[in-house]
Amino acid sequence: GLDDHVLAPHGAITARIGIYRNNVMASLTGVLAAAFPVVQRIVGEAFFADLCRRFIAAHPPGRPQLSMYGAPFATFISVDPRLAELPYLADTARLEWARGEAYFAADAAALDPAALTRILPQHLGALRLALHPALRLVRSAYPIARIWRVNQPDVADVPAVDMGTAENVLISRPSMRVIVREIGAGDAAFIAALEAGATFGEAVDLAQ
């Protein structure tokens, strides 16, 4: 075409567009690899690169904030038929994305538990609490916290994990360090209820 013969200061426009496209693809793949290192380790670099290529084509960046690029990645994984034998992978990606969200979340003062003691017991049930901006809850039918831990860079030999164990994971950021920890079903129900706007009393009932 005409573009093949139109010269720019550093070569043909078509060639330069191709270089730009490849640079963008490599850059976005790097962003996704940084956000989902455990997913990359589980599926392997070559498969992950192809997964990223497909994802980027389907979900190009909508804004120039690369720290927020990759939000639909877990959903994208969940519907990929090639990953049907890894049903835990999408929730593992959700955990990794939640860690990134927690890291970049706004700062806010944590609730002083002593403040609750100053509320009259008859008023406590109607209280509505807001979650800290850096708090994230991920509930899964799979042991995603264990999968995440055994796939860290310092783990050379990945042990077998019982995939029949469900886990609820709470992600927080005390002292600017992101922490991943498992919590019980009751605690998860309590936090999920508060997140959905329930009162303190309603959340306690669901937790029980």
Side-chain angles (χ1 to χ4, degrees), residues 49-195:
D50 180 66
L51 193 64
C52 289
R53 180 181 61 79
R54 294 168 179 262
F55 175 80
I56 294 166
H59 301 276
R63 52 182 169 174
Q65 189 178 0
L66 290 184
S67 64
M68 298 307 296
Y69 182 66
F73 196 62
T75 302
F76 185 80
I77 287 174
S78 70
V79 297
D80 190 325
R82 301 173 302 166
L83 296 171
E85 294 183 1
L86 303 176
Y88 58 85
L89 194 65
D91 283 352
T92 303
R94 288 175 57 220
L95 186 156
E96 294 203 277
W97 184 253
R99 291 186 76 253
E101 283 188 321
Y103 180 82
F104 289 108
D107 292 327
L111 174 67
D112 180 2
L116 295 177
T117 66
R118 295 192 288 271
I119 299 174
L120 293 175
Q122 61 267 34
H123 296 158
L124 194 59
L127 190 67
R128 294 185 189 274
L129 299 175
L131 300 186
H132 190 281
L135 196 69
R136 296 291 184 277
L137 174 66
V138 182
R139 306 168 84 177
S140 176
Y142 303 99
I144 53 174
R146 275 175 256 187
I147 293 169
W148 179 79
R149 288 196 176 97
V150 302
N151 280 285
Q152 294 306 299
D154 59 340
V155 180
D157 298 316
V158 178
V161 176
D162 180 7
M163 293 299 170
T165 303
E167 285 184 347
N168 303 287
V169 180
L170 187 67
I171 297 169
S172 57
R173 195 196 60 201
S175 304
M176 297 308 296
R177 187 168 69 93
V178 177
I179 293 177
V180 174
R181 59 177 174 171
E182 299 98 311
I183 60 174
D187 292 332
F190 178 78
I191 294 170
L194 293 181
E195 187 176 26

